[in-house]
Structures are given as C-alpha cells and as structure tokens.
Amino acid sequence: MIIEILIVICLVGAVATFLSPDRFAGRIAFLLSLLPLAGSLLMFWEFYGDASEYGNVLFESTNRAFESDLSGTTILNLGTYDIQWIAALDGISLPLLVLSTILTTLAILSAWTPIDERQSQFYGLVLFLEAALIGVFATLDFFVWFIFWEAVLIPMYFLIGVWGGPRRKYAAIKFFIYTNVASLVMFIGFLAMVFGLTVESFDLFEITTALNNDAFLDDTYLGLSSTTLTTIAFFAMFFGFAVKVPVVPFHTWLPDAHVEAPSPVSVILAGVLLKMGTYALLRYNFTMLPDVATETWVALLLGAIAVISVIYGALLALAQQDLKRIVAYSSVASMGYVILGLVAYTVYGIGGATFHMVSHGLISGLLFMTVGVIYSATHTRMVEDMSGLADRMPVAVGIFVAGAFAYMGLPGMSGFAAEFFVFFGSFDSALPYSPVFTGVAMFGIVIVAGYLLYAMQRTLFGPFDLATDYELSRASAQDVLPLFILLGLIIALGVNPDLIFDMIEPAIEPIENGGDS
C-alpha cells in the first residue's frame, strides 16, 4: 500500500498547503514533501538488495515490487473492458519515482526566495503535481495511468501561467496545447490497437502479453492488418510521447515554457516532466511493440531523429544569450541521447537511456536551480549583461561550473556514465549504421562544451560588471543547500553508477529478450 500512501500524502498535503497562510506555506509544503521523499528512499533501500529478483512489470504479473494490495480491483467497467487499480514498481520506474520526490522537495526549498506571492497556492500545486508524477511512474492500468498523465498538465499550466515571466500566459497556453493534442493522438492510437486485441481490460501486462502472442480478434481490424495497425499505433504513441520529451521538430514549446517559468518550476519541468515522455516511450513503444521498433526503416528513422535532436539542440543552445534558454536547449540535445539508447535495443543502450533519464534530471535540475540563484541576485539572465560573478558569488558559481562539467560528461560525474552506457550500447547494436549514428551523436559533446564554456567565460569570470547595478551578495543557505545535495548525487552516481544501474538491468533484460528474463 506504500504507493497509495505516498499519493494520498501528496494530495492531503496539497489541500493543507492551499488552506495554510502564505507566510507558513513554504515551510509546511517542505515538511510535508519530506514524507513521500522518505517513503521513496525506503522503497529504494528495500529494492536495492533484491533488484535481481524482480524483472519488468509488463512481463511479470506475480513477483512485483511494492505491488498494491488493491491491484486488480475494478474501479469502473466500460462495456467489456475493466478499468482497474494496478500499481507496482520495477528497476525502470523506481529510480524515476525517487528522482521525482527528490526534485520536488528541493524545488520547494529553492522556491522560498523567488516566490513571494500566493505562496499557499504555489506550493499546493507543486504537491498536487508530485502526486500525479508518482501515479505516472507507478500505475499499470492504461486508463488510470492516462488520468495521472493528464493531471500533470493542470498544475504545470498554472505554475507557469500565474508565477511566470512577462510572456507567461503565452508560454502556458502553448505548453498545454502542444502536450494535450499530442496526448490525444497517443490515446487514440493506443485504444485502436487495444480494441483489436483479445483483452478485456487495460492492464498493461495483459496487453503486452496479447501483443507478444499476436492475440488479435481478426486478421484485419478497421480494414487494417495487425502489422499495419501496430505500426500506426506505434507512431501515434511515438508522436504523443515525443512532444513531451521533446525531440526535434516537436520541441518549440520547451524554451518558452522554461524561460517564463519560475526557476523551481523549471527544475521539475526539465528534471521530471521530460522524463515522462522517455519513460512512456520505453514502456509502450519499445517494450510492447519490439517488432515495430526493430524494423530497419523504423530504427533508421528514429536513429536519425535522435541524432538530429542532439546536434540541432546543441547548435540552438550555442546561439542563445539567455542562460535559461541555453540550459533548455541543452535538454533537447540530452534527450536525443536517450532516444539513441532506446533505438539501440541492447541492455547497455536501453539501460543507459534509463540511467540518462535520472542523470539528466539531476544535472538539469542543478543548472536551472543555479541559474535561478544567479537571477535572484542579478535580476538578469542575459550573458552580455554580467561578468566576473565568481568573485561575488563564489559558492553558487563553483556549483554552476561543476554542473556544467557534468553536462559535458566529465569523468566521475553521472553525465559521463550515462553517455558512456548509451554510446557503448549503441555503437555495436543492430541499428543499421550504428557506428555512424553513435559517432555523430558523440560530436554533440563538443558543441555542448563550446556553448557552456562560452557562457561561463562571459558571465562568471573576468572583471566584474553588471548591467542591472544590483548589489550582489553571497546566496543564502536555503538557496545553496539544494545545490550541494544535487551535486553530491551527481558525483555519487558518477563514481558508482551501479547504485541504480544494478536495479535497471534486470528490468531491461526481458525487453531485449522479448519477454524472457
């Protein structure tokens, strides 16, 4: 029942925070967020030693970690289909759930300085968002999962639209329309495929089993063969999830959302919400439909999309003058590495992609949080407006430099381990021309180094200058503490990547083996 308890704590905490006075809301939300954080860390600790005993929840119906006592309980009946409450975790979903609770707690703490109005509403929405995120990573009935998937949009829309920058309404509406339309396409494609199967529920395990056994009702459905139907469903789902990731050319909502969102919201947006897209791609596209994903022309297309996202996203970042836009476009490039790892369809490729989700969540969260600290002190994010900040803000600047090097793949940090796993898994994979795709994607690291080093040299070093003429002082302890925690986690995963890769691998092996552990 621990999954349900975490969700209920977040929802009750959201209501309590909404009703609390503004001056206490931030502290109350922080204390309440420690409960799901402690619960997720407890699950991580219990799972870590027994990870090899569990496989992938879409291939395993009995031996599941933290399976709910209510699993299999029918919530609603739609004709011949049952909607059930099914919740469990494996080595793919658990690290992402822990990432969600860590970043939510640290984002709340980092919001104490910049959020100075409607605090109770802000922190209440953040806790509601956390509840939805836990549901996305833990539930295994498609309809219930989709409710949580869509519920994420509601608080994020208001967090951007109410507390964002000058163009916050435009950014919030653009974010909502892009992701909502994409979800609709994904929903229609998935249901069309399910209605052609001999299943009576939306249980993801049952659907995966039916697809593996080619358990279609007829040779044709809606006038389409089963092969054509699954291919259409694959691309409908890919479109829906690719917008959330986002990959090129569906990325244009992301920079606007990041620039206008408050920095604590950008932390959750880049650190967790983008991972919802890659997590769903792994769960639905690459786990349920391996025959489509490994077709030569499909693999080539997705590999090309991955490489284009890496190079194009990095080049876009190179052209920016706003620190937040630089980090935002960096996320587009980094998610390209995740797609490349998935397309490789090897243990190290898919495992590296999953590891990269966690690593990027920590690194991007660190950089957005540090940019927020710098903005709070300087009231500008433009590269040409400031220089020499290292003398006035040595701690924040030092952590920013460390985070940038983690993004560049410095050995000893999680970014290096993530990229190594992806490149190792993709170089000798079944993906046609895999060495070429891998080599071109690796060149993206050079571009990443170029724009990050340029931005750091211009803003952090040299003689001090600040166009806004604000009196700078060292960041407060409440602003710096989250940065140290994230940096510590990045180094811990870089020095010992097996902390999570050992639990990821048993969940990935059945995918590569077509369901066999």
Side-chain angles (χ1 to χ4, degrees), residues 112-173:
W112 287 2
T113 297
I115 303 302
D116 55 5
E117 60 179 4
R118 299 184 179 181
Q119 289 100 321
S120 60
Q121 298 170 33
F122 177 89
Y123 294 111
L125 286 171
V126 171
L127 289 174
F128 180 83
L129 176 61
E130 183 178 18
L133 290 171
I134 293 172
V136 167
F137 294 125
T139 53
L140 297 170
D141 179 280
F142 175 75
F143 249 92
V144 176
W145 174 88
F146 187 76
I147 290 172
F148 283 115
W149 175 271
E150 289 293 277
V152 168
L153 301 182
I154 300 170
M156 186 55 67
Y157 171 82
F158 287 108
L159 289 170
I160 297 173
V162 176
W163 289 272
R167 300 175 71 243
R168 57 186 179 273
K169 293 182 179 179
Y170 166 78
I173 292 172

Side-chain angles (χ1 to χ4, degrees), residues 10-297:
C10 292
L11 292 176
V12 172
V15 174
T17 306
F18 269 121
L19 299 177
S20 65
D22 276 355
R23 64 182 182 278
F24 300 128
R27 274 63 177 175
I28 292 172
F30 174 72
L31 292 175
L32 290 172
S33 72
L34 292 176
L35 298 177
L37 173 59
S40 68
L41 292 176
L42 176 63
M43 288 193 291
F44 185 90
W45 177 261
E46 291 184 6
F47 187 90
Y48 182 76
D50 301 324
S52 60
E53 297 180 10
Y54 304 104
N56 188 299
V57 289
L58 296 197
F59 297 119
E60 178 64 59
S61 62
T62 54
N63 187 29
R64 290 172 165 178
F66 310 110
E67 184 170 17
S68 169
D69 294 338
L70 301 175
S71 282
T73 302
T74 299
I75 301 174
L76 183 66
N77 181 268
L78 296 178
T80 59
Y81 295 91
D82 291 331
I83 297 176
Q84 304 170 319
W85 176 263
I86 307 172
L89 297 168
D90 61 11
I92 296 172
S93 53
L94 180 56
L96 293 170
L97 189 150
V98 175
L99 175 70
S100 302
T101 59
I102 291 173
L103 288 182
T104 300
T105 298
L106 296 181
I108 289 173
L109 183 57
S110 71
W112 287 2
T113 297
I115 303 302
D116 55 5
E117 60 179 4
R118 299 184 179 181
Q119 289 100 321
S120 60
Q121 298 170 33
F122 177 89
Y123 294 111
L125 286 171
V126 171
L127 289 174
F128 180 83
L129 176 61
E130 183 178 18
L133 290 171
I134 293 172
V136 167
F137 294 125
T139 53
L140 297 170
D141 179 280
F142 175 75
F143 249 92
V144 176
W145 174 88
F146 187 76
I147 290 172
F148 283 115
W149 175 271
E150 289 293 277
V152 168
L153 301 182
I154 300 170
M156 186 55 67
Y157 171 82
F158 287 108
L159 289 170
I160 297 173
V162 176
W163 289 272
R167 300 175 71 243
R168 57 186 179 273
K169 293 182 179 179
Y170 166 78
I173 292 172
K174 188 175 182 179
F175 160 77
F176 191 88
I177 291 176
Y178 265 66
T179 53
N180 202 36
V181 170
S183 296
L184 177 61
V185 174
M186 174 271 294
F187 184 79
I188 294 172
F190 185 84
L191 287 189
M193 179 181 69
V194 170
F195 291 157
L197 295 170
T198 57
V199 295
E200 296 182 351
S201 74
F202 295 100
D203 180 352
L204 298 183
F205 166 77
E206 184 179 347
I207 293 169
T208 304
T209 302
L211 288 168
N212 286 342
N213 296 329
D214 291 325
F216 288 88
L217 291 171
D218 299 297
D219 292 337
T220 60
Y221 179 74
L222 299 176
L224 303 171
S225 67
S226 59
T227 301
T228 303
L229 179 62
T230 53
T231 301
I232 293 174
F234 181 95
F235 280 101
M237 291 188 292
F238 180 83
F239 171 76
F241 302 140
V243 171
K244 182 80 78 175
V245 171
V247 298
V248 176
F250 312 119
H251 66 285
T252 57
W253 65 266
L254 182 66
D256 293 317
H258 272 310
V259 169
E260 299 305 322
S263 292
V265 176
S266 291
V267 169
I268 301 176
L269 178 60
V272 187
L273 260 71
L274 305 190
K275 311 310 174 293
M276 287 171 51
T278 49
Y279 168 79
L281 279 172
L282 175 53
R283 278 285 193 235
Y284 289 86
N285 290 71
F286 291 90
T287 302
M288 290 186 176
L289 298 172
D291 292 340
V292 180
T294 54
E295 282 192 52
T296 301
W297 71 273

Side-chain angles (χ1 to χ4, degrees), residues 349-414:
I350 300 177
T354 308
F355 188 95
H356 207 306
M357 295 181 208
V358 179
S359 171
H360 178 265
L362 296 173
I363 297 172
S364 63
L366 174 64
L367 290 180
F368 275 116
M369 208 173 284
T370 310
V371 170
V373 172
I374 293 174
Y375 178 76
S376 294
T378 64
H379 293 262
T380 181
R381 296 188 304 262
M382 304 307 293
V383 172
E384 66 269 17
D385 287 349
M386 50 187 164
S387 66
L389 298 184
D391 289 338
R392 309 298 175 93
M393 305 179 67
V395 176
V397 166
I399 294 176
F400 185 86
V401 171
F405 276 108
Y407 234 134
M408 292 182 234
L410 182 71
M413 293 186 163
S414 62

